[in-house]
Amino acid sequence: MAYRVATLEKLIEQFERLPGIGHKTAVRLSFAVLSMSEEEGNCFVNAITEARRTVHECDICCNLTDTERCSVCSSSNRDEGIICVVEEPQDVIAFERTREYNGVYHVLHGTISPLNGIGPDQIRIKPLLTRVANNEIEEVIMATNPTVEGEATAMYLSKLLKPFGVKVTRLAYGIPVGGDLEYADEVTLSRSLEGRSEL
Amino acid sequence: MAYRVATLEKLIEQFERLPGIGHKTAVRLSFAVLSMSEEEGNCFVNAITEARRTVHECDICCNLTDTERCSVCSSSNRDEGIICVVEEPQDVIAFERTREYNGVYHVLHGTISPLNGIGPDQIRIKPLLTRVANNEIEEVIMATNPTVEGEATAMYLSKLLKPFGVKVTRLAYGIPVGGDLEYADEVTLSRSLEGRSEL
C-alpha cells in the first residue's frame, strides 16, 4: 500500500480547513511545521494558544483586542463623535493604514444575510444602538462592503439610527484610483458619474 | 496610535515564517485561527503537537513515519532490491501517486550544497551506503531534482555506490507530458533529443 503517516495526514487535513489553503499548500505547511526546531515549534504553538486565549472583543467597539479595551477606544487622541461601522476586524486594519481617519470604529462581525441564516441578532447591532443612544455621536459612517449583503446591512442600520438624530453617511462609490475606465463595470461607472464633484 | 493587538501580531508573525506565506495570507490565517470554536482550535493545536511528537525518521529509509518503520519499508509487497533515492519526503508522496513504482525509497533530507554549508555528512548518505553494503540491492535510482545541487549529489552518490557492484540509474530528462515544445528551454530540449527512443 501507499506511503501513509496518520498523524501527518491529520495535520495536513487541519491546515486544509483554513481559508484559501489547498492540498498542496497544506502539505508544504505541514512539512514546514515538522521541520521546525524544538524552540520554533513551541513558539508557533504558543502564539496560537496565547492569541486564542487572550484575544476577545472590545467592550465598546467589538473589535478584537487582548487588553480590556482596544487601542483605538482607549486612545485619547481619537474623535469619539464619529463611528465608522465595518464588517470585520481586518477592515479596521485597512482604515488605519490610510492614516486619514481619526474617529472610532464599530465592528459588526458579519452582515445581515437571511440566505445564510444570519439575522440582525447574530451580528453586533445592539451594542452599536446602545452606544449611539448613550453617547454624543455626530456621525455614523457605514463602511460595510459594496456587496448585496453589505448594502442591505447599511440600509437597515441607517433606518435604525436615524431616529437618534445622528447623521448617517456611506462611503463613496467610484472608480478605484489607478484603475482603468475601460475595465470599470457599468454599475461602478454610473455610480461614479452620479457622485461626481466640481473641480 | 494605530490599532494594535500584541498577541495577534505575534500570531501573524509566526504564520509569516512559514514558506510561501506573505503578510496578507498570514493575517487571513490568524483571523481564521481566532474564529475557530473551542473544539476546532484544540483539534488544530493537537494535530500540530501530535505530529511533531510522533513523526520521526524510518530506521531503514529515513522517510518520515509515526510508526517504527514506514509503511513502505514494512510492506511485504515491495521489491526491496530497488531503491529510489529522493531529496525530501514530499518526493516519496509524488512517486507513490504515480502507482507505477514498486521498489523502496531512501530519503536524503537535502542535497550536498557547499555554498550553503551542507556537506555529505549533513544528509542521510551513510545510512544509504550501509543499506547497500548489507543487503542485496540490484539497482539504485537517483531521483534527486534536476537542479545543480541535485545533479551534483546524484553524481557524488553514484561514485560512492559503484564499488558495491550495484546498478545506478538516473531519471530520464525530457519534455514534460502535456508541455509545449515552443516553450521548452534549450537544455531540456537537447536532453530530450539525446534520450530519444525508437517508435
Side-chain angles (χ1 to χ4, degrees):
Chain A
M1 249 307 289
Y3 167 62
R4 297 200 66 213
V5 185
T7 52
L8 176 60
E9 277 168 25
K10 243 181 217 162
L11 180 59
I12 294 172
E13 217 171 80
Q14 285 295 325
F15 271 116
E16 278 176 335
R17 285 162 181 261
L18 296 175
I21 301 295
H23 182 70
K24 288 203 171 177
T25 310
V27 170
R28 179 160 45 82
L29 296 179
S30 300
F31 279 112
V33 165
L34 287 182
S35 69
M36 284 174 177
S37 70
E38 187 73 25
E39 198 195 329
E40 288 169 335
N42 290 341
C43 272
F44 185 69
V45 169
N46 284 344
I48 294 172
T49 46
E50 269 307 287
R52 283 181 54 81
R53 195 179 60 78
T54 61
V55 176
H56 57 94
E57 290 181 19
C58 169
D59 290 344
I60 301 176
C61 73
C62 303
N63 195 0
L64 296 180
T65 177
D66 56 358
T67 45
E68 198 186 348
R69 283 176 183 183
C70 81
S71 55
V72 172
C73 287
S74 56
S75 164
S76 54
N77 299 323
R78 309 291 297 225
D79 182 351
E80 290 170 20
I82 305 179
I83 299 177
C84 178
V85 178
V86 295
E87 293 180 15
E88 302 291 347
Q90 292 95 309
D91 302 331
V92 171
I93 297 177
F95 271 103
E96 287 299 294
R97 258 200 313 264
T98 69
R99 295 166 188 274
E100 291 282 336
Y101 181 68
N102 198 40
V104 291
Y105 295 94
H106 189 86
V107 181
L108 294 174
H109 290 276
T111 46
I112 299 170
S113 170
L115 286 177
N116 298 316
I118 299 170
D121 293 340
Q122 266 90 54
I123 62 175
R124 312 299 184 272
I125 288 179
K126 263 182 200 157
L128 176 63
L129 297 180
T130 321
R131 206 174 157 190
V132 172
N134 299 338
N135 296 279
E136 271 185 42
I137 309 294
E138 279 167 55
E139 184 180 351
V140 176
I141 305 171
M142 289 296 152
T144 49
N145 285 326
T147 56
V148 175
E149 287 89 358
E151 291 297 335
T153 307
M155 291 304 293
Y156 178 84
L157 271 176
S158 77
K159 272 182 195 159
L160 288 181
L161 290 169
K162 289 251 169 80
F164 293 103
V166 67
K167 187 162 98 184
V168 182
T169 57
R170 179 82 176 109
L171 287 187
Y173 297 98
I175 43 169
V177 179
D180 192 324
L181 281 189
E182 195 182 337
Y183 302 116
D185 65 290
E186 307 89 300
V187 184
T188 303
L189 208 55
S190 71
R191 289 295 189 95
S192 146
L193 203 61
E194 275 172 36
R196 69 189 179 275
S197 59
E198 215 170 314
L199 286 175
Chain B
M1 250 306 289
Y3 166 62
R4 298 199 66 213
V5 185
T7 51
L8 177 59
E9 277 168 25
K10 244 182 219 162
L11 181 58
I12 294 172
E13 218 172 79
Q14 285 294 325
F15 272 115
E16 279 177 335
R17 285 163 181 260
L18 297 175
I21 300 294
H23 182 69
K24 286 202 173 179
T25 309
V27 171
R28 179 161 45 82
L29 295 180
S30 299
F31 279 113
V33 165
L34 287 181
S35 69
M36 284 174 178
S37 70
E38 188 72 24
E39 199 196 328
E40 288 169 335
N42 290 341
C43 273
F44 186 69
V45 169
N46 285 344
I48 294 172
T49 45
E50 271 305 289
R52 283 180 53 80
R53 194 178 61 79
T54 60
V55 176
H56 57 94
E57 290 180 19
C58 169
D59 290 344
I60 301 177
C61 72
C62 302
N63 194 2
L64 298 180
T65 177
D66 57 357
T67 44
E68 199 187 346
R69 284 178 182 182
C70 82
S71 54
V72 171
C73 288
S74 58
S75 164
S76 54
N77 299 322
R78 311 287 298 222
D79 182 351
E80 288 170 20
I82 306 179
I83 299 178
C84 179
V85 177
V86 296
E87 294 182 14
E88 302 290 349
Q90 292 94 310
D91 303 331
V92 172
I93 297 177
F95 271 103
E96 287 298 296
R97 257 201 311 265
T98 68
R99 296 165 188 275
E100 291 282 335
Y101 181 67
N102 199 41
V104 292
Y105 296 95
H106 188 87
V107 181
L108 294 174
H109 291 276
T111 46
I112 298 169
S113 171
L115 287 177
N116 298 315
I118 298 170
D121 293 340
Q122 267 88 55
I123 62 175
R124 311 299 183 275
I125 288 179
K126 263 185 201 156
L128 175 62
L129 298 180
T130 321
R131 205 174 158 191
V132 172
N134 298 337
N135 297 278
E136 272 183 41
I137 309 294
E138 279 167 54
E139 183 180 353
V140 175
I141 305 170
M142 288 297 154
T144 51
N145 285 325
T147 57
V148 176
E149 287 89 358
E151 290 299 334
T153 307
M155 291 304 294
Y156 178 84
L157 271 176
S158 75
K159 273 183 194 159
L160 288 180
L161 289 169
K162 287 250 170 80
F164 293 104
V166 68
K167 186 163 100 183
V168 182
T169 57
R170 178 86 175 106
L171 285 187
Y173 298 99
I175 43 169
V177 179
D180 193 325
L181 280 188
E182 195 183 339
Y183 302 117
D185 63 291
E186 307 88 302
V187 184
T188 301
L189 209 54
S190 70
R191 290 295 190 96
S192 144
L193 203 59
E194 275 171 39
R196 70 189 178 278
S197 58
E198 214 171 314
L199 285 175

